[in-house]
Amino acid sequence: MTAMPPGAVDCDIHPGVQGIRTLLPYMDEHWRDHFVRRAADDFDLASYPPRSPLVCREDWRVPQGKAGTSFDQLRRQALDAFGLRYAICNPLYGGAVAVSDAMGAAICRAMNDWIAAEWLARDHRLRASIIVPAQAPDLAVEEIERLAPDRRFVQVLLPAAAELLYGKRYYWPIWEAAVRLGLPVGLHAGLAYRYAPTSNGWPSHHLHDYVAASQVFEDQLLSLVTEGTFGRFPALKVVLLESGVTWLPSFLWRHLKTWRGVRPEVPWVDRPPPEIIRDQVRLTMQPFDAPSDPEAVAQVIEQIGSDDMLLFATDYPHWQFEGMEAAPAGIPPAVLRKAMRDNPLATYPRLQEAP
């Protein structure tokens, strides 16, 4: 592992939501009354069980409550400790996957106002994603348009899997709004669980669910390419957050090989899929899922075939590495420098603006 020099942009950190009562001050009277009367709480994503060891490193846990809920601790352990220039907040909570469209939209709206008031306002290094209800594209567009004037919001955030594959035309209004307003779209690990997360049914353990997550990202990439979404929105940038990295080379090879054989089926895919993906897709570096051999890591980087795709991330407070060494040994220094600074600034143009 290699220690990180200061000045990096962390593209994936996770302020924690203590519970629905944290968000009540940011809801209108109807929804405050709704949640209180029903005693509705525990909207944590099933993909991130609060007590799972992977959800928080032991030395990053807060004395009381859920991981990531202490602003002072996040500032000390992430912003200051890693010498970050910026960090993008991606809070994970149930609004984006709630079965009720209206309830999901209310939670997402409250989360966005909460993150702006209680996190972004307290440190100039923090930026955030716009949390939207993936289950209702029209309401998602409304929330994107509401928050876009606040330049501290630099991305639209969706769970890795919702109702349908994201290449479907059903979701095109979200992509159109993001492109129109100059925002990339992040797909973060975490599912709505409308369907089994594996092709053969429901797993029995969190271990199986977690390891299988890369398959979900592969499915979404295939959908975005083959349904013609990337072709329809050539300026769209999609960031895969917490997807892992080492699966990508073999995926690109298989995608290209099969496209060559069946390309008449998808005439709108008018150039090799790896070119499209290298141009319009980015990946965060946690978890890297790398072997301990630096030569193997360097080989993976070479096989990806682009210095522009990787974005630095600590994934704070999730448990992806020990100590302060947040990048695997073997990444060429020039690639690492780009991943830490140049690539995030290019992916998130709002980071280049003065605070």
Side-chain angles (χ1 to χ4, degrees):
M1 301 287 282
T2 303
M4 307 303 299
V9 176
D10 190 337
C11 297
D12 190 33
I13 65 170
H14 301 291
V17 180
Q18 193 71 267
I20 199 67
R21 290 189 177 276
T22 301
L23 304 178
L24 292 183
Y26 301 95
M27 295 181 180
D28 61 29
E29 183 179 358
H30 166 78
W31 286 109
R32 286 198 302 270
D33 183 69
H34 175 87
F35 286 111
V36 171
R37 285 180 177 272
R38 293 184 58 189
D41 207 340
D42 296 326
F43 289 93
D44 297 290
L45 297 183
S47 304
Y48 292 91
R51 298 186 182 277
S52 170
L54 290 174
V55 171
C56 187
R57 262 173 45 169
E58 284 303 313
D59 58 326
W60 286 348
R61 289 193 179 274
V62 296
Q64 300 290 332
K66 297 175 183 176
T69 53
S70 168
F71 171 82
D72 291 334
Q73 190 163 304
L74 180 145
R75 179 165 56 187
R76 183 176 68 255
Q77 294 177 337
L79 298 177
D80 296 341
F82 290 98
L84 299 176
R85 178 182 177 186
Y86 293 116
I88 300 174
C89 300
N90 296 315
L92 304 176
Y93 205 54
V97 300
V99 175
S100 165
D101 295 353
M103 178 189 288
I107 295 174
C108 290
R109 184 184 183 98
M111 286 183 64
N112 291 325
D113 291 342
W114 164 77
I115 203 78
E118 301 192 26
W119 295 80
L120 304 189
R122 297 177 67 182
D123 197 300
H124 70 277
R125 293 170 291 182
L126 291 179
R127 297 294 184 270
S129 295
I130 302 173
I131 315 300
V132 299
Q135 62 278 53
D138 58 331
L139 298 179
V141 170
E142 288 183 13
E143 189 65 1
I144 294 169
E145 292 176 341
R146 184 179 78 91
L147 270 298
D150 187 338
R151 308 297 290 185
R152 298 173 300 174
F153 287 93
V154 300
Q155 176 175 248
V156 176
L157 191 67
L158 295 169
E163 245 76 13
L164 303 168
L165 290 169
Y166 283 135
K168 298 287 187 180
R169 292 173 182 264
Y170 177 75
Y171 292 108
W172 281 15
I174 296 179
W175 311 130
E176 186 280 330
V179 170
R180 170 166 46 87
L181 295 166
L183 294 163
V185 179
L187 305 185
H188 196 286
L191 315 179
Y193 292 104
R194 302 296 191 265
Y195 308 98
T198 81
S199 59
N200 289 319
W202 293 94
S204 301
H205 307 285
H206 179 53
L207 167 64
H208 188 171
D209 188 23
Y210 189 86
V211 175
S214 64
Q215 300 172 26
V216 176
F217 286 98
E218 291 183 35
D219 290 338
Q220 296 293 16
L221 273 190
L222 283 169
S223 176
L224 290 166
V225 173
T226 59
E227 296 280 0
T229 305
F230 282 136
R232 177 63 178 265
F233 304 104
L236 175 65
K237 286 290 189 293
V238 171
V239 181
L240 307 185
L241 298 151
E242 217 169 310
S243 67
V245 175
T246 54
W247 57 270
L248 184 60
S250 59
F251 169 83
L252 292 175
W253 178 86
R254 185 176 179 86
H255 197 359
L256 175 61
K257 171 183 176 294
T258 306
W259 172 77
R260 286 170 172 164
V262 299
R263 57 187 299 185
E265 181 187 20
V266 286
W268 45 83
V269 183
D270 57 1
R271 57 186 176 126
E275 290 185 13
I276 298 173
I277 292 170
R278 289 175 181 131
D279 182 36
Q280 295 186 246
V281 176
R282 302 293 181 259
L283 301 88
T284 57
M285 291 169 54
Q286 294 296 342
F288 198 91
D289 293 337
S292 58
D293 181 3
E295 293 185 6
V297 172
Q299 186 177 45
V300 169
I301 298 297
E302 181 180 2
Q303 291 171 344
I304 289 174
S306 171
D307 293 349
D308 299 327
M309 292 190 69
L310 293 181
L311 305 175
F312 172 69
T314 63
D315 196 25
Y316 178 92
H318 295 169
W319 196 356
Q320 308 292 6
F321 61 93
E322 305 286 357
M324 305 307 296
E325 299 172 334
I331 300 179
V335 174
L336 187 57
R337 283 194 299 272
K338 289 193 68 175
M340 290 177 59
R341 298 167 183 160
D342 297 344
N343 293 348
L345 293 176
T347 303
Y348 302 103
R350 294 185 176 200
L351 295 181
Q352 301 180 41
E353 301 172 0

